[in-house]
């Protein structure tokens, strides 16, 4: 079946709100390579948006899920649970940088965020939640409210839940310093909500959809101090940054800060829909039995995959590999930047979460979303799946599987360069 025929069929039966970036229909994928319905091969620099950190179709994940499938696929964790959910909770609470941690498992990232907020509100008895502009936390109603990017995530979808406040994210490239962001928080406490009415502050350690901006050094410690002072729960949304992506198991570990709660999804089960909330026992145990859950929560297939993922990350040293991969990517992008400094304003990365910021005339204030759009389309034509992001839609982000063979990494970088030259 041809890609364009499938795209036409999809257009006739699918609501347009759930679009696709490329009219490319995947037929098969192995590690960092995807083949489409027409047999064309692509290097994958997206990993299903940071999901297959362990590569497509990792044999150990496939085997673990097949074995679970032969036993049973669903009983509902709230009815008759199973051994692998207990084992996964034991392992995740042991590796989380949180003392005396407890976990729950859901299905999607948005659900993990929803539950983190539910838990924080019960634990504190307070309504307020503070998030950051440019942040992305999912597409459910509460998560849309937390998200700090209007188009396409919020436009027309309101009203959102009350008691959500935003302050600027400290994106230094955009001229927003840590001091400015903290001053905005201080101002918010004076002008909008008293701190003892705030249940939680939620932040991504590196903004994902917002543009791959890492929090400046020391910022999370400052937030930690502020949260401790006012009894506010600090939630780290590690849905995109977690699971070895940034060179540590969790990105917050770069800061040495202990969060109260972390939300996890994407990379935790190699593509099987399972997510988690992990946090301090006293907070996590606040909701009463039955208050948290979901029919498909903690799918046994996801748990089987999740256990295999943890083994692979350790056996294949994926944290170290993320750092090495990121270094190679940053070096490749910096070579391109040296040739085109007027169009590539910044190259940044934390481990294998790497991005370049496209601008015009060497002016950081002039975002170049048109180039980002043209580049991702051209790259796809030349055999590379490449994503953009950013509040200004001008950032190219690279999220390769952490298991990518370096020859494929180089091949992808070469295609990116060729596509870039063809677009300018
Ligand atoms: C930081 C962050 N939080 C939450 C989400 C929402 O996850 P999901 O799409 O699985 O609901 C995402 C998805 O991109 C994300 O990157």
């Amino acid at each position: 079946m041809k890609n364009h025929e499938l795209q036409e069929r999809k257009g006739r039966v699918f609501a347009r709100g759930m679009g696709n970036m490329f009219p490319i229909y995947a037929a098969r994928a192995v590690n960092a390579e995807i083949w489409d319905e027409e047999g064309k091969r692509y290097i994958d620099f997206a990993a299903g948006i940071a999901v297959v950190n362990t590569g497509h179709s990792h044999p150990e994940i496939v085997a673990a899920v097949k074995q679970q499938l032969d036993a049973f696929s669903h009983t509902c964790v709230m009815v008759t649970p199973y051994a692998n959910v207990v084992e996964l909770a034991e392992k995740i609470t042991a590796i989380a940088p949180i003392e005396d941690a407890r976990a729950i498992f859901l299905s999607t990232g948005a659900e993990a965020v929803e539950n983190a907020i539910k838990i924080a509100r019960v634990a504190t008895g307070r309504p307020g939640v503070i998030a950051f502009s440019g942040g992305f936390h999912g597409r459910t109603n509460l998560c849309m409210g937390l998200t700090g990017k209007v188009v396409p995530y919020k436009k027309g979808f309101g009203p959102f839940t009350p008691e959500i406040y935003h302050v600027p994210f400290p994106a230094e490239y955009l001229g927003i310093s840590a001091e400015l962001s903290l001053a905005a928080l201080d101002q918010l406490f004076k002008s909008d909500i008293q701190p003892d009415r705030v249940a939680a502050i939620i932040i991504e350690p590196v903004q994902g959809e917002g543009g791959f901006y890492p929090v400046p050094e020391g910022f999370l410690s400052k937030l930690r101090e502020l949260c401790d002072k006012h009894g506010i729960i600090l939630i780290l949304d590690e849905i995109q940054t977690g699971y070895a992506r940034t060179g540590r198991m969790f990105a917050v570990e770069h800061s040495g800060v202990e969060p109260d709660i972390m939300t996890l999804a994407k990379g935790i089960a190699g593509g099987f829909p399972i997510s988690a909330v992990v946090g301090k026992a006293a907070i996590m145990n606040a909701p009463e039995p039955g208050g948290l859950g979901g029919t498909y929560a903690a799918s046994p297939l996801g748990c089987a995959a999740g256990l295999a993922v943890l083994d692979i990350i350790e056996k294949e040293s994926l944290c170290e590999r993320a750092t090495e991969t990121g270094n190679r990517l940053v070096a490749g992008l910096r070579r391109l930047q040296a040739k085109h400094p007027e169009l590539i304003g910044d190259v940044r990365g934390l481990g294998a979460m790497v991005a370049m910021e496209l601008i015009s005339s060497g002016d950081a204030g002039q975002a170049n979303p048109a180039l980002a759009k043209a580049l991702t389309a051209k790259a796809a034509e030349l055999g590379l799946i490449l994503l953009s992001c950013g509040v200004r839609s001008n950032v190219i982000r690279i999220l390769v599987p952490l298991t990518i063979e370096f020859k494929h990494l180089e091949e992808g970088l070469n295609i990116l360069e060729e596509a870039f030259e063809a677009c300018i």
Side-chain angles (χ1 to χ4, degrees):
M1 180 68 66
K2 295 270 186 220
N3 287 316
H4 78 88
E5 286 167 8
L6 283 163
Q7 189 68 1
E8 277 158 25
R9 280 170 58 191
K10 181 176 177 250
R12 284 196 288 274
V13 291
F14 237 77
R16 68 192 181 115
M18 192 180 275
N20 49 296
M21 289 169 207
F22 309 105
I24 293 168
Y25 283 75
R28 192 165 73 82
V30 177
N31 199 2
E33 295 171 284
I34 300 177
W35 287 265
D36 72 10
E37 285 282 338
E38 297 173 22
K40 181 172 168 173
R41 169 183 171 270
Y42 301 82
I43 299 288
D44 185 10
F45 270 20
I49 320 189
V51 169
V52 288
N53 290 2
T54 42
H56 291 284
S57 317
H58 194 294
E60 284 178 36
I61 298 177
V62 172
V65 172
K66 275 186 179 159
Q67 196 185 354
Q68 178 57 45
L69 201 49
D70 282 340
F72 64 93
S73 59
H74 179 82
T75 60
C76 189
V77 74
M78 300 178 301
V79 181
T80 55
Y82 18 87
N84 66 5
V85 75
V86 177
E87 200 184 333
L88 188 61
E90 283 168 352
K91 294 210 158 145
I92 286 188
T93 51
I95 58 170
I98 297 175
E99 203 162 317
D100 193 23
R102 298 287 185 277
I104 54 163
F105 297 104
L106 297 311
S107 307
T108 65
E111 235 187 316
V113 172
E114 289 261 348
N115 278 275
I117 303 296
K118 277 172 68 171
I119 293 166
R121 282 182 168 152
V122 176
T124 57
R126 303 174 182 183
V129 182
I130 299 174
F132 288 81
S133 45
F136 181 78
H137 299 288
R139 286 182 164 86
T140 56
N141 189 271
L142 175 57
C143 293
M144 279 191 295
L146 295 170
T147 288
K149 182 178 177 188
V150 172
V151 179
Y153 305 125
K154 302 172 85 148
K155 193 176 164 205
F157 289 123
F160 305 114
T161 61
E163 299 292 347
I164 292 174
Y165 304 86
H166 286 93
V167 290
F169 182 86
E172 287 179 325
Y173 182 75
L174 302 179
I176 305 167
S177 65
E179 292 70 33
L180 197 144
S181 182
L182 290 167
L185 207 44
D186 194 45
Q187 179 60 30
L188 188 84
F189 289 151
K190 292 193 180 92
S191 58
D192 292 272
I193 182 167
Q194 64 200 63
D196 66 5
R197 296 291 290 156
V198 177
I201 296 180
I202 182 165
I203 187 165
E204 297 159 86
V206 181
Q207 274 197 340
E209 306 299 307
F212 275 36
Y213 301 106
V215 287
E217 221 184 307
F219 186 75
L220 291 179
S221 309
K222 287 269 181 338
L223 277 190
R224 180 71 275 173
E225 276 169 32
L226 210 69
C227 286
D228 288 343
K229 182 170 163 201
H230 297 296
I232 298 170
I233 287 173
L234 180 60
I235 303 174
L236 266 291
D237 184 344
E238 291 259 12
I239 286 168
Q240 193 158 154
T241 52
Y243 267 64
R245 173 57 56 189
T246 70
R248 295 286 182 92
M249 195 60 190
F250 306 104
V252 69
E253 291 174 272
H254 291 280
S255 71
V257 164
E258 183 182 2
D260 296 309
I261 292 180
M262 285 194 312
T263 50
L264 307 173
K266 291 190 183 281
I268 85 171
F272 290 84
I274 179 167
S275 61
V277 183
V278 187
K280 291 181 181 157
I283 295 168
M284 293 294 289
N285 282 330
E288 291 187 14
L292 308 174
T295 304
Y296 295 110
S299 153
L301 299 172
C303 292
L307 288 169
V309 162
L310 287 174
D311 275 352
I312 295 163
I313 289 177
E314 198 179 326
K315 264 198 293 202
E316 300 187 18
S317 307
L318 291 190
C319 286
E320 291 77 6
R321 221 159 176 288
T323 305
E324 167 72 16
T325 301
N327 288 343
R328 287 173 185 244
L329 285 168
V330 166
L333 296 185
R334 292 233 161 102
R335 278 197 297 276
L336 193 58
Q337 185 189 29
K339 282 196 233 163
H340 303 287
E342 75 293 355
L343 293 172
I344 302 176
D346 192 31
V347 170
R348 54 182 174 264
L350 189 63
M353 203 166 171
V354 172
M356 64 176 177
E357 181 109 19
L358 301 180
I359 56 169
S360 299
S361 315
D363 177 2
Q366 289 186 50
N368 196 339
L371 179 54
K373 195 167 178 206
L375 178 56
T376 50
K378 190 69 190 173
E381 201 186 302
L382 298 177
L384 175 69
I385 303 297
L386 188 66
L387 300 176
S388 61
C389 67
V391 178
R392 306 188 297 172
S393 307
N394 68 321
V395 177
I396 295 294
R397 58 168 154 173
I398 301 184
L399 289 164
V400 292
L402 305 177
T403 47
I404 189 171
E405 288 182 48
F406 290 140
K407 67 177 185 204
H408 291 150
L409 192 78
E410 292 309 322
E411 189 183 341
L413 275 171
N414 288 339
I415 298 175
L416 195 159
E417 188 173 343
E418 189 186 339
F420 192 91
E421 300 291 352
C423 287
I424 58 175

